[in-house]
């Protein structure tokens, strides 16, 4: 899911956001841009958005929902917690299968020995090698699709994949997998090499809560690292029509998941809204019941004047009603 780089200039139904007095179904809300001056009291967001209703001309302020910490730390933290709930949702289901935590790396840039778990020095020369890291990063999504297709022929599985950016700028994939059959490291390594990944493949038992927090941390961190990743693109000369290879800011997705993994972003946000509404209704009901239980002031005489009894002198029976 990509970070919010520019204000979204689209129209949303008035009933989807609070604060607009238009009737339900009237589409008039428009995001104008970031609010000048930064944060607003009562809103936990450092880069709020200014929203205007074109029907009633009311002005609203929304949280920016940015994924990047460089844009807004509070919204980025909320996004990370949202991802934790999504990642953990699959672990809470029945018949989840065998859990594995898979790490895939880019091929090395120099000659190296084949990586073999538990064998110092590796297993002889390895043929996996990357010539242009920018080209490999741009094609990493295709390599992942090939690996998914090959692995689906071995067993049924569901996955949640996140991107980590290595120091050299290569994309590093971490995948949480629930599979119908146990995965073998040598089998996955063979599939990964054929798909275009490097020989260093790590496969460990899945720890749902620990790996959910780990994946959410790197997915959020990767939204701020696109400028550090070499990325090759086609560049079209608008005058001659000639197409050449050039560079551009990286366009990778920081995370993705299979369709049957579990909760979606929409599900989590809907649950959050429902929980906030339930909390509001509970507090309102509690306040209403307190008002009904509180006796009228006339029952205890007029309000005390100077020198008369203070609230601390009220009898214990009366204090319990007020509490």
């Amino acid at each position: 899911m990509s970070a919010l780089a520019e204000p979204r200039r689209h129209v949303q139904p008035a009933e989807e956001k609070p604060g607009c007095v238009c009737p339900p179904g009237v589409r008039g809300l428009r995001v104008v841009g970031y609010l000048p001056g930064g944060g607003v009291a009562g809103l936990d967001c450092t880069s709020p958005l200014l929203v205007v209703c074109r029907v009633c001309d009311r002005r609203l302020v929304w949280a920016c929902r940015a994924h990047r910490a460089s844009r807004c730390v509070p919204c980025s933290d909320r996004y990370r917690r949202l991802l934790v709930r999504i990642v953990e949702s699959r672990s809470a289901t029945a018949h989840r299968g065998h859990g594995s935590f898979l790490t895939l790396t880019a091929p090395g840039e120099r000659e190296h020995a084949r990586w073999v778990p538990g064998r110092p020095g590796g297993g002889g020369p390895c043929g996996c090698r990357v010539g242009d890291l920018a080209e490999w990063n741009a094609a990493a999504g295709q390599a992942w699709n090939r690996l998914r297709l090959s692995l689906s022929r071995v067993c049924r599985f569901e996955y949640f994949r996140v991107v980590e950016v290595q120091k050299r700028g290569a994309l590093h994939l971490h995948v949480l997998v629930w599979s119908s059959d146990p995965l073998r490291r040598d089998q996955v390594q063979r599939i990964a090499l054929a798909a275009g990944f490097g020989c260093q493949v790590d496969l460990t038992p899945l720890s749902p809560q620990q790996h959910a927090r780990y994946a959410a941390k790197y997915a959020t961190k990767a939204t701020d690292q696109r400028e550090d990743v070499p990325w090759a693109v086609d560049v079209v000369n608008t005058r001659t029509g000639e197409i050449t290879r050039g560079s551009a800011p990286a366009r990778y997705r920081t995370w993705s998941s299979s369709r049957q993994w579990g909760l979606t972003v929409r599900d989590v946000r809907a649950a959050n809204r429902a929980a906030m509404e339930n909390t509001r209704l509970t507090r309102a009901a509690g306040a209403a019941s307190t008002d009904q239980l509180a006796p009228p002031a006339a029952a205890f005489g007029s309000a005390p004047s100077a020198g008369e009894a203070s609230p601390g002198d009220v009898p214990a029976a009366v204090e319990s009603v007020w509490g």
Side-chain angles (χ1 to χ4, degrees), residues 235-247:
V235 178
V236 180
N237 188 319
T238 57
R239 186 173 60 86
T240 64
E242 181 182 8
I243 300 177
T244 58
R245 295 296 281 175
S247 60

Side-chain angles (χ1 to χ4, degrees), residues 168-181:
R168 60 173 173 152
L171 297 184
H172 196 67
L173 304 187
H174 298 292
V175 191
L176 290 80
V177 181
W178 287 106
S179 56
S180 58
D181 301 312

Side-chain angles (χ1 to χ4, degrees), residues 20-52:
C20 183
V21 297
C22 294
V26 176
R27 305 181 65 89
L29 297 181
R30 181 173 65 90
V31 177
V32 177
Y34 291 107
L35 186 70
V40 176
L43 183 65
D44 191 16
C45 175
T46 58
S47 301
L49 298 174
L50 175 62
V51 183
V52 176

Side-chain angles (χ1 to χ4, degrees), residues 42-195:
L43 183 65
D44 191 16
C45 175
T46 58
S47 301
L49 298 174
L50 175 62
V51 183
V52 176
C53 179
R54 287 186 264 187
V55 178
C56 66
D57 201 29
R58 189 182 181 108
R59 297 196 170 194
L60 313 174
V61 178
W62 294 349
C64 66
R65 285 188 178 180
H67 303 168
R68 295 182 293 152
S70 61
R71 168 63 71 180
C72 180
V73 173
C75 288
S76 177
D77 287 342
R78 282 192 291 270
Y79 178 67
R80 176 180 50 79
R81 294 193 295 269
L82 179 146
L83 289 182
V84 170
R85 291 183 61 183
I86 293 175
V87 179
E88 289 181 338
S89 63
R90 179 67 186 184
S91 304
T93 60
H95 309 295
R96 33 187 198 186
H98 302 271
S100 305
F101 186 69
L102 172 64
T103 300
L104 303 167
T105 59
E109 299 178 80
R110 299 187 299 269
E111 293 184 3
H112 58 279
R114 173 68 62 86
W115 182 78
V116 179
R119 183 186 301 178
C126 182
C128 71
R129 190 174 178 182
V130 60
D132 188 345
L133 190 56
E135 293 286 354
W136 190 91
N137 285 335
Q142 299 176 20
W144 166 247
N145 290 337
R146 290 192 293 268
L147 185 145
R148 284 195 302 125
L149 180 60
S150 299
L151 196 59
S152 66
R153 294 168 179 161
V154 175
C155 64
R156 300 188 308 275
F157 70 97
E158 303 294 337
Y159 71 88
F160 188 96
R161 174 197 65 88
V162 299
V163 168
E164 177 189 352
V165 179
Q166 294 180 313
K167 290 183 178 179
R168 60 173 173 152
L171 297 184
H172 196 67
L173 304 187
H174 298 292
V175 191
L176 290 80
V177 181
W178 287 106
S179 56
S180 58
D181 301 312
L183 300 179
R184 300 196 320 270
R185 195 194 308 260
D186 59 337
Q187 180 186 52
V188 175
Q189 184 188 47
R190 191 164 54 249
I191 294 175
L193 284 169

Side-chain angles (χ1 to χ4, degrees), residues 295-302:
F300 304 99
S302 59

